[in-house]
Amino acid sequence: MKTRLACCLLAAAVTAASAAPAQDLSRYSDEGLRAELAGIADAETAVLVPMRDGKGLSTNIWRPKGASGKLPVVLWKTPYDEHVPAGGTARYALEAVRRGYAFIVQNERGRYFSQGTYEILGRPQTDGYDTLSWIAAQPWSNGKVGTLGCSSSAEWQLALAGMNHPAHAAMVPMAAGAGIGKVGRFLEQGNFYTGGVPRTLFGVWLYGVDNPLRAELPQDLNGPMRARVARYNSLDADKPDVDWKTHVRRLPYAELLSSLGEPPGTFESLIARGPADPAWKTGGLYHDDMGWGVPALWFNSWYDVSIGPNMALYNHARTVASDREASANQYVVVGPNPHCQFARLSEDYKVGERAMGDARFPVDQQLWAFFDRWLKGKPAAFPDGTAHVRYFTMGANRWQSDAEWPPKAARTLRMYLRSGGRANSMFGDGRLAADAPPAGEAKDSYRYDPRNPVQTIGGGDCCNGGLVTAGAFDQRQISARNDVLVYDSEPLQAPMEVSGFVDAVLKVSSSARDTDFAVKLVDVAPDGTAWIVGDTIQRARYRDSYTAPAPMQPGQVYTIRPTPITTSIQFGKGHRIRVEVTSSNFPKFARNLNTGGPNETESTPVVADNAIHHDADNASYIELPVVGG
């Protein structure tokens, strides 16, 4: 009954969305989009919107040509060069104006034509708040603003939502994980860390975005002249190309950018912090003690960089009591795609190398229906009966819906890591079993050498200069390594859906004072293809506390609880569930050099002999949220 009801709810939502006017803009060139927009919109370019400290943020405004009444407004805020609209920004601007909205694109502080000094996430609690106040006060505004964007254009929305600005009527954040500091079990400080391990994507991304010595227009340049200059000067820095696959191996890691000759900037400031440094609370990140005040339609994806924090924040926003109407109107859509690739979902979709079948979803229709409800006062556009959670189950290759996440019907299945002491590689004797281990079962040992780390192949990632391609890829060349422990279930006698948060509990020991433990969930097909489903990692020094890291004592057994893997996957009949454990996942995560010292400023690694224990007193296991069966 649950499945049939979920299908009906999803179908009803899709039907309602399809009733909105559809405009296929996918085949338009950027020039064509701009020409269409110029034909139907009155535009203002490079307007300096004043902030409370006197700085101005450069803002482009498009309104339906000749509009006389007050308009709902959609705001797109960005650190990128989007003054001349192109791609998705141009399509959204054109669609917004066609639907009777004003559409605004604003550059973050310190970027391109905006004044001030750049700060990652762009001061959402001050600059974002002041921008909303300015929009609400304009004679053409109806006082209701919806915020929209993917990745950087979504992340700043989160801390702003905690402010509950009276004009912030709705938000559609897509792939917004880098805006989350701490939520529930996840303390990632904007994806800078996972389990206390730095993610390399941030160094690469900041190389392209952070320009401490940037070129600027004269501060006193008048509005018309700024607008004219903006037409033929992008102020876009063209930095030298970097071979990141080679350069990321350079040590110490803290010199990733300075070793290229870059001036000190944001990366150096952030890498000097620990995961629990109080300085993380002073920037633009959202933390779960900030409240929540805005109805939201979230778009997330299974192979994104931070699907776990994203889903945890969605759950948090539904339960915060600071604004009950906002909490009651949180909705999420989760696709099988990597970061920000919602527009690519198709009837013959592949994520990485794995076919997902028909993964189409009416993304644009739904977001405009959501805005129509909250910015235009049309409740029928996005009905109350819309399912709060709509998610794509991989393997089964179908969309489902539920009232909550994890799905209400999910039950926990614990499966133990077992072996005869030789789980090394997929050719070993590791197994994943429902029966707990007996006393005296032998541990599994492996040697981790930071100079020969286990390679990242697929999984969730983004924005990394080509270091990692996100998605589902075959892991067999990784599973064949002797420094990877592999635990397989028996072939399943019937399909098994796993939807929710997958937790791992490991009993570990090491010869080193500190090391990492990386966990991977894999779907092994009958032909042996081993599709990565998701992964996680934990730095041992932070096993009990991020505020009080503690070294390991050689040979002593400790408990490691990495943050969960978050997914919806159907393991098919005849498939095996595989768990892999090792101590590196590089280049996605920076290597632990095993010294126990200030890892990011060190250059000389040591080899660690690590072990996973699984006996009656020290059982290691995973817990799967199983639906049905």
Side-chain angles (χ1 to χ4, degrees), residues 150-151 174-175 301 304 337-343:
C150 199
S151 193
M174 300 172 164
S301 44
D304 200 357
N337 49 293
H339 185 74
C340 280
Q341 295 185 19
F342 303 101

Side-chain angles (χ1 to χ4, degrees), residues 69-70 87 113 134 145 168 237 266 277 317 365 428 487 527 573 612:
K70 292 184 179 293
F113 300 100
W134 182 87
V145 182
H168 199 184
T266 303
D277 193 308
Q365 294 96 324
Y487 302 91
D527 67 357
K573 180 179 179 180
I612 301 297

Side-chain angles (χ1 to χ4, degrees), residues 168-187:
H168 199 184
M171 58 190 288
V172 180
M174 300 172 164
I180 303 170
K182 176 192 176 296
V183 58
R185 294 180 284 175
F186 296 90
L187 187 143

Side-chain angles (χ1 to χ4, degrees), residues 289-495:
D289 59 358
M290 292 169 59
W292 192 267
V294 185
L297 173 60
W298 305 79
F299 284 90
N300 297 328
S301 44
W302 299 132
Y303 284 101
D304 200 357
V305 64
S306 59
I307 181 59
N310 278 333
M311 295 306 289
L313 179 54
Y314 162 77
N315 281 341
H316 173 73
R318 291 193 72 183
T319 58
V320 174
S322 56
D323 186 322
R324 295 189 183 278
E325 182 184 42
S327 292
N329 286 283
Q330 301 295 311
Y331 300 86
V332 65
V333 176
V334 194
N337 49 293
H339 185 74
C340 280
Q341 295 185 19
F342 303 101
R344 299 184 184 181
L345 294 173
S346 65
E347 59 186 329
D348 187 21
Y349 184 69
K350 277 190 173 182
V351 58
E353 296 174 336
R354 188 172 190 179
M356 292 286 145
D358 189 347
R360 290 175 295 177
F361 189 90
V363 175
D364 288 352
Q365 294 96 324
Q366 284 286 272
L367 73 87
W368 291 116
F370 193 73
F371 281 150
D372 283 352
R373 174 175 177 171
W374 294 102
L375 307 185
K376 292 184 177 180
K378 296 182 177 181
F382 195 90
D384 287 337
T386 303
H388 283 273
V389 182
R390 288 171 283 178
Y391 61 99
F392 190 88
T393 299
M394 302 178 291
N397 295 351
R398 65 175 182 266
W399 285 96
Q400 301 195 82
S401 59
D402 208 278
E404 58 191 62
W405 185 261
K408 190 174 183 178
R411 59 180 178 83
T412 300
L413 173 64
R414 179 176 292 185
M415 300 191 76
Y416 293 90
L417 278 55
R418 304 285 307 278
S419 80
R422 297 182 304 278
N424 308 75
S425 87
M426 63 184 182
F427 306 112
D429 65 357
R431 60 192 180 94
L432 198 60
D435 52 312
E441 185 163 288
K443 66 184 180 183
D444 291 308
S445 301
Y446 62 96
R447 175 160 289 187
Y448 162 49
D449 184 347
R451 291 163 294 195
N452 183 28
V454 174
Q455 180 187 359
T456 305
I457 300 179
D461 209 10
C462 81
C463 323
N464 55 39
L467 288 175
V468 178
T469 300
F473 291 92
D474 191 350
Q475 302 297 297
R476 279 180 285 187
Q477 70 181 84
I478 302 303
S479 308
R481 291 180 57 134
N482 203 53
D483 55 356
V484 177
L485 304 181
V486 178
Y487 302 91
D488 283 346
S489 72
E490 291 296 320
L492 298 176
Q493 298 303 303

